[in-house]
Amino acid sequence: MQRVPILKLGDILIVSIQVDLEDQGVLALQEDLAGAVVGNGAKGVIIDITAVEIVDSFIGRMLATIASTCGMLDAQTVVVGMRPAVAITLVELGLSLGGVRTALNLEKGVALLDHIRSATR
């Protein structure tokens, strides 16, 4: 099973998913990311899914669960790089990813996190 690397940029963690994840990989990512948020005192998490071409209901639900978990650990989450086909599939599966913020790309995701954090200070 491949582990997804977690990069640190200031108090933001960046996860770039470059492979199609199996269910076990998604569960490992959830665990690894929660540990990294606590271990690094991260205030923001960006999950880049630019390379993800296919999602199923499990992966869609897990993105929402990861965002919720990070939120409980005081880190805002933004999913970036969603392809139109992925967005359409999630809607067709009835997964609106409620509460998950999205941005078109990494740059806009960082800007969104900066805006969210400055608004809550």
Side-chain angles (χ1 to χ4, degrees), residues 53-81:
E53 294 183 17
I54 300 170
V55 294
D56 60 15
S57 60
F58 178 76
I59 291 174
R61 283 193 313 273
M62 288 310 294
L63 284 174
T65 300
I66 288 169
S68 180
T69 300
C70 291
M72 294 186 88
L73 298 172
D74 198 28
Q76 300 295 320
T77 302
V78 178
V79 174
V80 303

